[in-house]
Amino acid sequence: MSIKRSVSLLTAALMIVALISGCGGSGGGAATTAAATDAAAAATTAAPATTAAAAEAATTTAAAAAEATTAAPAATTTAAAAAATTAAATAAAEPATTAAAAQNEPITLQIIGNIGSSSYMVNGIMDNPVALYIREHTGITIDLTMIPDSGDSTNRLNAMIAANDLPDIFINNGGTNQLRNLIDSDLILPLDDLVASHAPNLSADNRMQAMMLQRKMSTPEGNLYLIGLNIGYGDSPAFGPRRGFFIRWDLYKQLGYPEITNTLEMCDVLAAMCELEPLNKNGQKMYAAAVWNNAFNDAAFQPQALMMGYATGPSNMLYIDIETNEIFLDNPLKERDSFIWESLRWCNKLNQMGLFDPDSYTQTYQNYQDKTAAGHYMMGALTWSNGTANTAYINDGTPDKQLICLPSSVFGWDKVALYDSIVGGERGWAISRNCKEPERAMQLLDFVSTIEFSLIAHNGVEGLNWTMENGVATPKQEYLDAAKSGDDALTENMLATGARIFRLFTGYAPGTINPADNQTVDMLSSPRELTAMHVDFLNYYGVSDMEEAYTKGMKTYIKNTLFNWGTLPDELITYQTNLTDYINNGYVNCTLAASDEEFFAEQEKFIAGLEPYRIDDIWQAYYDNAISTSHLTQPIVDLLNK
């Protein structure tokens, strides 16, 4: 119970004293003394959240009221009690004011992780307008150490874990094994009590409650150790799935729309495109496609899986039908016709053609992003990277050059994960045992979790990039112009306004609908103006809008799978770690095969080599975890459906 509520109860109790004393007659003194004492006791008992000082003030003042009513004649009792009421309320309110002030006292918290993008993030004290907005409303100054998603970010954090050199708040970027290590080493705090006492927003939001339930499922104890941020939908589906096969539609049109019914035919079309345009604007060789270091999953397997209507589990060794929400009983690493092997097959075919970027095995995620934006690839996998490339083409005066995602129906697939719900949050944030003010750390996580702050995190504070017009958050034209002008202009806007800098450290992902105005929380994620190539795409498939192009003929197009894969038994953890290295090396060897015969030989070698890593035991452990805890997902579904 809040201090404010306690004060109200105390005031009400003393008002009862006043009423009784006014009706007591000559015998009212003793009656009002007892009534005052009982009422004050009831008030302080009913208000456990009241501080000791407030309780003491209440008791002392109640005693004074009792003394006053005993000594005073009945005619003056009411006035005395009323005075006592005012004194009691004032005395009890003082600790409440003090507590509120303490909650917002200036403090600096250290945060490590990717909260936005490494391309424009500066380490140290944050002082952009959104950071200042946080400071104004919470008293918290953020001292950021940026760890990008690519490269050795997990190893960097693991080194901090080994040295117990963790900040106040940090990201869990190493999956369930890293989380297990943090818990077993007692390096992070369980958050259940902190949420109950210091997170009113998290506690009141059904979707955030669902997030916390899912996060609890990931620990054997069922405790909450991570707050998931960026829940909801990552991108507006207006321009295709979050990941997919985005090809240069202008060149596809020039080729006369050759038929594509499978991914190998897609390779032939991409090769023909490269013949039409062998060099990019900088005179560099065009490649059909690429991945980045150890990222076949992100740039090849996931696009294929999502376009086929699958969700995936640990190391892609388990996968789920998004229509039935059932786990398939085979292991795609071992099944020769699985989505993994089909993906590796088309990567290898492009490599045999000399059209798979040879930097794929060493380049970073940022390198891949930059090359996509510079028009190096005929096919891109990521919605956001392709959007950047399309904007760059427009700004270069070549608006017809556009990367557009092929519909799943082209390949004969009848499901697609167009709407990909992130129930547990894209990123999980922990509070370290080293944190001296964990209540304030939770206050910050609670503050940034709201839909209201998400609007600010993605677009900046009201008045800079947007205004509220008739209850609708409306972007200013200069904000839209900056987005259209490309990365440099948008980055300049971000640095000036703070927009998008906290986009990965906020409650809701950009494509999530704000119920207040029925728009996406990121105003730049709302459907944008179609280019001539997008119109041509719609006409070719005979549909009226982009969403229809991707949902037409689909049995389902919503991915909302909920499974708890849990953690592996200690005896399997090392096997899993070594397995990860083995499969990453195997993917490279298969892609580099010089011929079809060599590819299939590498495939057989790869599959045979899985057994020493106890892959069947690992698969079974994850499967058993998921099945044994499946009953725990129903409360999550119920919360999401409210």
Side-chain angles (χ1 to χ4, degrees):
M1 185 178 295
S2 67
I3 292 176
K4 182 177 179 181
R5 173 64 172 157
S6 304
V7 171
S8 299
L9 285 172
L10 178 60
T11 303
L14 291 175
M15 289 178 69
I16 294 172
V17 173
L19 290 172
I20 293 174
S21 64
C23 303
S26 60
T32 50
T33 300
T37 303
D38 292 344
T44 53
T45 301
T50 309
T51 63
E56 182 179 355
T59 304
T60 302
T61 311
E67 182 177 350
T69 53
T70 301
T76 61
T77 304
T78 302
T85 301
T86 303
T90 302
E94 287 176 358
T97 305
T98 303
Q103 181 74 351
N104 288 332
E105 283 183 359
I107 187 175
T108 298
L109 295 178
Q110 293 181 320
I111 298 179
I112 288 181
N114 184 359
I115 68 168
S117 172
S118 57
S119 62
Y120 53 81
M121 202 66 65
V122 178
N123 289 337
I125 299 297
M126 304 190 74
D127 59 1
N128 62 75
V130 175
L132 295 178
Y133 176 88
I134 294 173
R135 191 183 307 175
E136 176 188 354
H137 287 80
T138 67
I140 296 171
T141 296
I142 295 175
D143 182 1
L144 176 69
T145 298
M146 180 72 179
I147 296 184
D149 293 335
S150 58
D152 64 345
S153 60
T154 300
N155 292 334
R156 286 178 61 187
L157 188 56
N158 284 339
M160 295 178 191
I161 293 171
N164 191 17
D165 186 25
L166 293 168
D168 299 300
I169 300 172
F170 65 95
I171 193 170
N172 166 226
N173 66 0
T176 55
N177 288 340
Q178 185 185 78
L179 177 60
R180 181 76 265 166
N181 183 25
L182 288 164
I183 295 171
D184 291 345
S185 302
D186 197 28
L187 296 179
I188 58 176
L189 294 171
L191 304 179
D192 302 79
D193 291 343
L194 283 171
V195 168
S197 59
H198 289 82
N201 296 312
L202 286 169
S203 300
D205 187 324
N206 288 337
R207 288 175 289 184
M208 286 298 169
Q209 289 181 55
M211 171 275 294
M212 290 186 286
L213 283 180
Q214 188 180 43
R215 289 287 177 175
K216 288 180 181 183
M217 288 172 58
S218 300
T219 61
E221 305 88 347
N223 294 327
L224 180 68
Y225 286 96
L226 300 173
I227 296 298
L229 297 179
N230 250 37
I231 72 171
Y233 296 101
D235 290 291
S236 166
F239 288 93
R242 188 163 171 75
R243 286 179 171 86
F245 300 143
F246 291 76
I247 69 170
R248 279 279 300 277
W249 190 263
D250 56 305
L251 297 179
Y252 186 60
K253 179 181 180 181
Q254 286 185 45
L255 290 171
Y257 311 104
E259 184 179 29
I260 298 175
T261 62
N262 58 58
T263 52
L264 294 183
E265 289 178 356
M266 181 178 70
C267 291
D268 294 331
V269 171
L270 293 172
M273 290 180 180
C274 288
E275 290 182 6
L276 285 179
E277 191 174 301
L279 303 176
N280 72 353
K281 65 179 181 180
N282 298 321
Q284 299 162 316
K285 179 178 177 177
M286 291 289 292
Y287 289 100
V291 298
W292 59 95
N293 183 31
N294 290 335
F296 277 92
N297 175 61
D298 294 289
F301 305 156
Q302 283 297 310
Q304 180 107 22
L306 294 173
M307 287 191 67
M308 295 177 74
Y310 301 146
T312 59
S315 299
N316 289 302
M317 67 179 70
L318 298 102
Y319 65 124
I320 306 106
D321 186 326
I322 66 169
E323 180 186 12
T324 63
N325 203 35
E326 293 179 351
I327 303 172
F328 290 98
L329 297 180
D330 59 297
N331 184 338
L333 289 174
K334 300 172 67 175
E335 296 298 321
R336 292 162 180 80
D337 60 351
S338 70
F339 68 91
I340 289 179
W341 287 108
E342 184 172 345
S343 299
L344 288 172
R345 185 74 182 90
W346 63 255
C347 288
N348 172 252
K349 181 171 182 178
L350 291 176
N351 188 72
Q352 289 186 48
M353 294 174 169
L355 298 176
F356 195 73
D357 188 351
D359 291 341
S360 293
Y361 317 107
T362 56
Q363 69 181 355
T364 66
Y365 168 67
Q366 192 60 52
N367 295 148
Y368 174 86
Q369 293 270 71
D370 294 342
K371 286 185 176 181
T372 302
H376 272 269
Y377 305 129
M378 290 297 178
M379 182 175 76
L382 311 177
T383 304
W384 53 98
S385 299
N386 299 321
T388 300
N390 288 344
T391 299
Y393 284 133
I394 294 171
N395 293 332
D396 288 340
T398 55
D400 283 347
K401 293 184 178 183
Q402 293 289 292
L403 290 157
I404 302 179
C405 188
L406 292 168
S408 291
S409 57
V410 165
F411 301 92
W413 303 324
D414 58 7
K415 289 165 282 195
V416 62
L418 183 63
Y419 290 89
D420 189 356
S421 177
I422 314 169
V423 177
E426 184 182 9
R427 292 154 195 273
W429 297 85
I431 299 178
S432 165
R433 281 277 180 196
N434 297 335
C435 182
K436 295 180 180 179
E437 297 279 358
E439 297 84 3
R440 302 300 300 278
M442 179 53 68
Q443 179 193 8
L444 176 61
L445 292 171
D446 184 64
F447 181 79
V448 302
S449 74
T450 65
I451 198 82
E452 292 79 13
F453 179 76
S454 298
L455 180 67
I456 292 169
H458 291 295
N459 307 286
V461 295
E462 183 178 358
L464 295 180
N465 283 331
W466 60 281
T467 57
M468 193 66 72
E469 299 181 10
N470 298 320
V472 177
T474 305
K476 292 184 176 181
Q477 189 58 47
E478 51 263 38
Y479 185 37
L480 298 175
D481 291 342
K484 291 179 181 178
S485 298
D487 278 357
D488 290 343
L490 192 55
T491 298
E492 183 178 343
N493 174 275
M494 293 173 187
L495 295 174
T497 67
R500 311 177 81 76
I501 285 180
F502 286 86
R503 65 190 177 87
L504 301 179
F505 190 69
T506 190
Y508 287 92
T512 307
I513 298 297
N514 181 358
D517 57 12
N518 205 34
Q519 296 189 111
T520 56
V521 291
D522 180 356
M523 297 177 196
L524 301 184
S525 286
S526 297
R528 298 173 289 278
E529 182 179 351
L530 297 178
T531 68
M533 283 300 102
H534 286 89
V535 173
D536 185 79
F537 170 87
L538 296 178
N539 292 336
Y540 177 74
Y541 288 111
V543 294
S544 58
D545 57 54
M546 298 298 290
E547 184 180 24
E548 184 185 0
Y550 298 113
T551 60
K552 186 177 181 180
M554 295 294 103
K555 291 180 180 178
T556 188
Y557 44 87
I558 298 173
K559 172 179 169 287
N560 199 14
T561 53
L562 290 171
F563 282 101
N564 170 33
W565 306 109
T567 55
L568 292 173
D570 291 342
E571 64 182 88
L572 293 178
I573 290 177
T574 300
Y575 285 99
Q576 167 77 80
T577 301
N578 294 335
L579 174 64
T580 300
D581 293 335
Y582 173 80
I583 61 178
N584 284 334
N585 291 331
Y587 296 155
V588 173
N589 293 336
C590 290
T591 304
L592 290 175
S595 65
D596 290 351
E597 293 75 18
E598 186 176 330
F599 173 84
F600 290 118
E602 286 291 342
Q603 180 186 46
E604 294 304 318
K605 178 182 175 182
F606 177 94
I607 293 173
L610 292 170
E611 298 310 316
Y613 297 97
R614 298 182 63 179
I615 188 167
D616 291 337
D617 293 333
I618 293 173
W619 185 97
Q620 194 66 50
Y622 282 129
Y623 179 82
D624 289 345
N625 287 342
I627 296 302
S628 65
T629 59
S630 59
H631 65 284
L632 300 176
T633 63
Q634 189 56 49
I636 300 175
V637 174
D638 293 341
L639 282 167
L640 294 173
N641 289 335
K642 282 187 178 181

